[in-house]
Amino acid sequence: MTFQLKPYNFNDFCLSYIVFFSIVYQAIVPIGFILWIALIWLNLTKKPINIWKQLKGVEVWFIIYYLLLILGMLWTDNQIFGLSKLENKLSFILFPVLFRLSKINLNLRTIFSILLLGLFISLLLYEFIGIYKSIYYPVIEHSSYFTGAKFTVFMHRGYFSLYLIIGIAICIARILNKKELIIHLLLYSFFTIGLFQTFSKAGVLCFIVIHIIYIIYTIINKWKTAKKKHIVFLTAISMVAILFSIKSVIVRIDKTIFALNNIKLEDNNSVESNQARLIMWNTSAEVIKDNFVYGTGTGDYNDELIKRNKRYQNQGVVSSELNSHNQFLNTFVQLGLIGFLILCAVFYSYFRIALKNRDLLIIIIGVSFLLNFLFESIIETQSGIILFCVLFICGTSSELKIDTLKPLKK
């Protein structure tokens, strides 16, 4: 991965820091925002500063979403939890404003390279930690240190699998564009192994989806121009990857079907992932019925879900204090129909710009987030919020536009 030699400034450093440590170690990411705010005057944009006129697309919807969170405090009983959510989601208003006020010399390719570097170092670190624990703490079965929650020690495995998927998509895009073929093939392989180590259902589903998209894209758009052996090579790799993952998908589908057929939505103590999700989706739907327009409020959604599950005697999910495990449902519970529509508007605006630009990689990043939103409440923690904001804003910004993947033909 090569970085173009350009006169990078302090804002570029802060953005790079945020992207890198959002993957490697989330706890120190706020330092990047603090430095950016404190020293933004060093590299202000040369354009006349009229922030409201400069905001575009998803940036506007992010800010509206945050303002609705503030408004939701008016009908919130749990003010402390509500304030923690406002702090937690500050990136929705902070990043768009900083981005628009700053002079940014980074391009999208460089940002993606920083993300790949962060993923590589993180995954390598997790592997070394797994080896270390296996040697010095052999009481637990060795393989458990290399899979699931015990593997991704600094980030929830669902979030890490999402970013691995994005890393895999970037690698495939660069392979198609013949950019440093060997390096990106090795990274692709390393990230794929890491993805399956996470045991993430949504990750495996995304893995299959993006490969199918790339196969269709390659056949339709590159059949006449690319060497046939390259097309065959990519298709073969994709098919092997899909076949490799299909067994895992079948097992998970079987478990899901079993859960659907045997689920008890009340008086259920299970915390098994499939049953817990189905319970939380049902509970969320029931809470939404009673709070359809405005929601339960910024700080009360978790309390309402727990209260409802206590009434239903679902002690497993109560003890775990689970959220909706679906971001659209979680937002609907919290902010009602208005919040749900604003979140939908974020995706609509993003995909409208990505499709207009015919940028396949940006489309795939959006699809990856969308699929994960269906299985996890991604933007309820910093691990999901920051990169969601960064990638959605940077990916649709004309200022950072670069040929990440040769545009789809009209």
Side-chain angles (χ1 to χ4, degrees):
M1 290 173 285
T2 57
F3 294 86
Q4 298 177 9
L5 294 176
K6 301 174 74 172
Y8 293 120
N9 60 44
F10 193 79
N11 296 334
D12 298 321
F13 166 77
C14 291
L15 178 55
S16 301
Y17 177 97
I18 290 166
V19 171
F20 181 78
F21 284 105
S22 289
I23 300 290
V24 177
Y25 191 56
Q26 183 72 50
I28 61 175
V29 168
I31 295 173
F33 280 108
I34 293 169
L35 290 173
W36 198 348
I37 293 168
L39 298 172
I40 191 172
W41 56 273
L42 292 174
N43 302 108
L44 286 171
T45 179
K46 293 181 180 179
K47 298 177 182 178
I49 298 176
N50 188 335
I51 188 67
W52 299 113
K53 289 186 178 179
Q54 290 179 15
L55 291 169
K56 303 174 184 176
V58 294
E59 302 161 21
V60 175
W61 291 114
F62 279 154
I63 291 176
I64 292 174
Y65 183 82
Y66 191 80
L67 293 176
L68 184 60
L69 285 169
I70 295 174
L71 190 63
M73 292 293 290
L74 296 177
W75 56 91
T76 291
D77 292 327
N78 192 338
Q79 293 286 315
I80 294 176
F81 188 72
L83 288 172
S84 73
K85 288 286 102 179
L86 291 180
E87 179 189 5
N88 180 250
K89 297 185 178 181
L90 193 58
S91 297
F92 280 109
I93 195 167
L94 189 58
F95 186 75
V97 172
L98 287 173
F99 183 79
R100 281 297 157 194
L101 291 178
S102 302
K103 179 184 178 184
I104 302 289
N105 291 324
L106 290 173
N107 59 39
L108 201 53
R109 177 175 174 79
T110 304
I111 291 171
F112 285 156
S113 293
I114 293 166
L115 190 146
L116 290 181
L117 180 62
L119 279 171
F120 174 75
I121 290 175
S122 265
L123 188 52
L124 199 63
L125 183 62
Y126 292 153
E127 301 291 0
F128 279 127
I129 290 172
I131 293 170
Y132 175 83
K133 286 184 175 179
S134 297
I135 294 172
Y136 292 100
Y137 303 95
V139 177
I140 301 175
E141 183 184 350
H142 288 194
S143 62
S144 67
Y145 290 125
F146 296 97
T147 55
K150 287 186 172 65
F151 177 57
T152 57
V153 293
F154 296 132
M155 183 181 289
H156 186 280
R157 63 194 178 102
Y159 296 97
F160 193 64
S161 70
L162 167 60
Y163 301 138
L164 284 173
I165 283 293
I166 292 172
I168 288 168
I170 294 169
C171 289
I172 296 174
R174 293 186 176 182
I175 290 168
L176 285 173
N177 283 340
K178 304 173 188 176
K179 303 287 187 182
E180 297 162 327
L181 184 65
I182 300 301
I183 291 176
H184 290 103
L185 272 174
L186 291 173
L187 285 174
Y188 168 88
S189 303
F190 189 42
F191 293 163
T192 298
I193 292 169
L195 174 68
F196 283 93
Q197 287 179 270
T198 65
F199 283 177
S200 168
K201 300 182 188 71
V204 174
L205 175 62
C206 285
F207 185 76
I208 293 174
V209 169
I210 67 169
H211 280 82
I212 292 173
I213 292 173
Y214 272 124
I215 289 173
I216 294 171
Y217 161 79
T218 304
I219 292 173
I220 292 174
N221 291 277
K222 288 182 171 283
W223 186 258
K224 293 181 180 179
T225 57
K227 293 181 179 179
K228 298 300 182 287
K229 64 179 181 180
H230 290 162
I231 294 177
V232 172
F233 179 67
L234 174 66
T235 305
I237 288 180
S238 298
M239 292 306 296
V240 169
I242 292 171
L243 290 172
F244 180 73
S245 58
I246 204 72
K247 182 180 178 181
S248 175
V249 173
I250 290 172
V251 170
R252 284 162 170 76
I253 290 173
D254 286 342
K255 287 183 178 180
T256 303
I257 292 173
F258 178 82
L260 284 169
N261 291 333
N262 297 276
I263 187 68
K264 290 196 306 177
L265 297 175
E266 298 184 20
D267 194 21
N268 190 335
N269 294 326
S270 176
V271 289
E272 188 272 327
S273 61
N274 289 303
Q275 291 205 40
R277 276 187 172 83
L278 292 171
I279 290 169
M280 293 311 302
W281 292 350
N282 177 71
T283 304
S284 298
E286 293 300 317
V287 173
I288 288 168
K289 288 178 184 177
D290 295 338
N291 305 272
F292 188 78
V293 179
Y294 303 110
T296 58
T298 301
D300 287 352
Y301 72 91
N302 209 43
D303 293 340
E304 287 296 324
L305 290 172
I306 291 172
K307 188 189 301 182
R308 190 66 61 103
N309 276 313
K310 281 183 178 178
R311 187 193 307 173
Y312 294 157
Q313 295 295 309
N314 296 323
Q315 297 303 324
V317 295
V318 168
S319 61
S320 299
E321 296 187 357
L322 298 182
N323 58 37
S324 299
H325 273 278
N326 176 302
Q327 187 59 59
F328 293 102
L329 285 177
N330 212 85
T331 299
F332 214 138
V333 170
Q334 183 184 39
L335 299 173
L337 178 64
I338 301 170
F340 172 77
L341 291 176
I342 290 172
L343 186 58
C344 290
V346 170
F347 278 95
Y348 170 78
S349 180
Y350 177 89
F351 282 117
R352 182 179 61 81
I353 295 170
L355 289 168
K356 181 181 178 181
N357 294 334
R358 297 184 173 272
D359 195 327
L360 183 60
L361 177 55
I362 302 303
I363 293 170
I364 285 176
I365 289 173
V367 169
S368 299
F369 272 104
L370 181 61
L371 289 174
N372 276 270
F373 270 42
L374 299 177
F375 299 98
E376 296 286 350
S377 298
I378 295 292
I379 56 172
E380 297 306 318
T381 67
Q382 288 290 314
S383 296
I385 292 167
I386 293 176
L387 280 182
F388 177 60
C389 291
V390 170
L391 292 176
F392 265 49
I393 290 175
C394 292
T396 54
S397 170
S398 58
E399 289 87 346
L400 303 183
K401 188 73 181 78
I402 194 168
D403 187 21
T404 52
L405 182 61
K406 291 175 183 177
L408 298 170
K409 292 181 180 179
K410 294 183 179 181

